[in-house]
Amino acid sequence: MQIASWNVNSIRTRLDHVLRWLDQSGVDLLALQETKVDDPLFPLEAFDSRGYAVSFHGQKSYNGVALISQHPLEDVRMGFLGELSADPETEKLSDQKRVISALVEGIRVVNLYVPNGSSLTSDKYDYKLSWLACLERYLQAARSRDEPLCVVGDFNIGPEARDLHDPERLSGGIMASDAERGALSKALGHDLKDAFRLFEAGTGHWSWWDYRSGAWNRDSGWRIDHIYLSGELQELALSCQIDKQERGREQPSDHAPVVVDLSWELEDELEEVDGNFMAD
C-alpha cells in the first residue's frame, strides 16, 4: 500500500500535474495540502471520473487539505474538532482548514498542513505554537482508538540540521527554531517515527524549494514534508522516497510528493485469497 503526501499549492492550478502524477505513480492514497479552494469549487469530477474516493476540507485562497483514494474513505474527520469537539481551545483554531483524517484500509491517515509561522516575532508564530500544542491533544485522542496511525503533511518544520540546505544560517530561525521542533516532537510522542529517516540518514534530501532566489536551480531546499508511522506500520515500511522530479516541471508546486510504501494487505487482496481458498 502506497501513501503519498503533496503540498500542491492550489489544486486548481496544479490539477493536470496531480492527475498525471496519480496515473503514473498508482499510489493508493494521496494526501494534498494547500488546496486553496472553497469546498463547492473543488474539482471533484476530475477524480470521480477516475474512480477515486475523495474528501476535502478547504477555504477560499488559503490552506485546505484533501484525501484522494483508490479505496473507501471511512470515518472521515474534519479539522481538530473531528477529535476534540469538547476542547475549548480548538474552536479558536478551526477557521483555518488544515486537518482531515480518515480510515483507509484499516489505517488512520491524518493529513496536516501546519502553519508556517512567518517569523519569530510574528503573531503567526505564536499561532503556530498553539496549533502544535493542539495537535498534541488531537493525536492523543486519535491514539485512543488503537488504530494504526499514519500522519502525513506539510509540517513547515525542518526537524534537524540535516533537513536544511544551510543549517548554520537557518537553524534557530523560522521553521527551524527550538520551540517549533520541540512542539512537533512533543506532539508526535515516542511512538510516531519519521518514515523517511527509517531508510535515509544523510542530508541533501529536500521536499521544498522556495520559488524565490533561484532555490530550485541551486538545490537550496528544506525537508519539511513528512510521513510519520506508528510502531506496527514502521515494521511494515518498505521504502519512503521524495519524488523530486515533480518540482522541476513547468509551473510546478514548490513542494515535491513524498511516498511511503507499506507491506499492508488490502481488503480486496484478502477477499481474493479467501475466494481462492473457498474454491479449493
Side-chain angles (χ1 to χ4, degrees):
M1 183 175 181
Q2 292 187 324
I3 298 173
S5 177
W6 193 2
N7 178 324
V8 291
N9 197 0
S10 174
I11 182 58
R12 291 189 292 179
T13 300
R14 240 68 67 180
L15 181 59
D16 289 344
H17 292 61
V18 172
L19 294 174
R20 175 190 44 75
W21 190 81
L22 282 171
D23 290 343
Q24 292 178 355
S25 68
V27 297
D28 293 275
L29 173 70
L30 174 59
L32 299 177
Q33 302 90 39
E34 215 171 353
T35 53
K36 292 184 174 180
V37 63
D38 206 4
D39 286 349
L41 298 178
F42 188 94
L44 180 60
E45 175 57 29
F47 301 102
D48 270 348
S49 64
R50 284 170 161 78
Y52 286 101
V54 183
S55 290
F56 42 85
H57 187 45
Q59 63 187 92
K60 182 180 179 181
S61 303
Y62 299 97
N63 307 317
V65 285
L67 297 169
I68 301 169
S69 175
Q70 295 194 45
H71 313 285
L73 295 170
E74 302 175 321
D75 190 27
V76 176
R77 297 175 181 237
M78 308 287 191
F80 282 145
L81 289 170
E83 295 283 0
L84 300 172
S85 58
D87 187 319
E89 295 296 315
T90 302
E91 191 68 37
K92 304 175 186 177
L93 301 169
S94 296
D95 289 343
Q96 297 185 20
K97 312 306 181 186
R98 296 178 175 274
V99 181
I100 189 171
S101 86
L103 267 178
V104 186
E105 294 288 315
I107 298 174
R108 172 63 60 178
V109 178
V110 177
N111 180 17
L112 305 173
Y113 178 42
V114 177
N116 174 276
S118 185
S119 74
L120 300 184
T121 58
S122 169
D123 291 344
K124 294 179 180 179
Y125 181 69
D126 295 332
Y127 179 91
K128 182 176 189 175
L129 295 179
S130 296
W131 197 96
L132 289 167
C134 190
L135 176 63
E136 180 186 2
R137 301 191 297 276
Y138 176 93
L139 292 177
Q140 287 174 347
R143 288 184 182 96
S144 68
R145 292 187 298 279
D146 202 27
E147 300 162 341
L149 191 57
C150 176
V151 182
V152 313
D154 174 0
F155 286 80
N156 268 314
I157 297 172
E160 301 175 275
R162 58 181 170 169
D163 299 310
L164 318 177
H165 69 89
D166 187 353
E168 289 189 12
R169 180 173 64 86
L170 297 169
S171 293
I174 192 65
M175 302 199 303
S177 69
D178 290 343
E180 291 165 283
R181 288 170 167 174
L184 176 58
S185 178
K186 190 177 179 184
L188 294 171
H190 298 296
D191 57 326
L192 288 166
K193 301 298 183 184
D194 186 339
F196 187 79
R197 290 304 181 197
L198 297 177
F199 301 95
E200 177 56 63
T203 188
H205 305 278
W206 321 128
S207 65
W208 172 70
W209 298 257
D210 199 332
Y211 285 132
R212 299 166 292 182
S213 306
W216 170 249
N217 291 330
R218 294 184 289 107
D219 197 27
S220 298
W222 297 56
R223 194 180 71 88
I224 59 174
D225 302 270
H226 313 147
I227 296 176
Y228 294 96
L229 303 174
S230 59
E232 58 269 61
L233 296 182
Q234 294 165 32
E235 297 176 1
L236 300 176
L238 301 173
S239 67
C240 186
Q241 299 178 331
I242 301 169
D243 192 354
K244 181 178 178 179
Q245 68 176 354
E246 287 303 311
R247 179 59 175 85
R249 299 196 183 276
E250 186 175 351
Q251 291 188 314
S253 168
D254 45 354
H255 296 252
V258 183
V259 186
V260 66
D261 192 0
L262 301 172
S263 179
W264 182 265
E265 286 196 273
L266 305 175
E267 289 185 4
D268 55 354
E269 292 174 349
L270 291 172
E271 289 172 1
E272 183 177 343
V273 170
D274 290 343
N276 290 338
F277 179 79
M278 293 300 291
D280 291 342

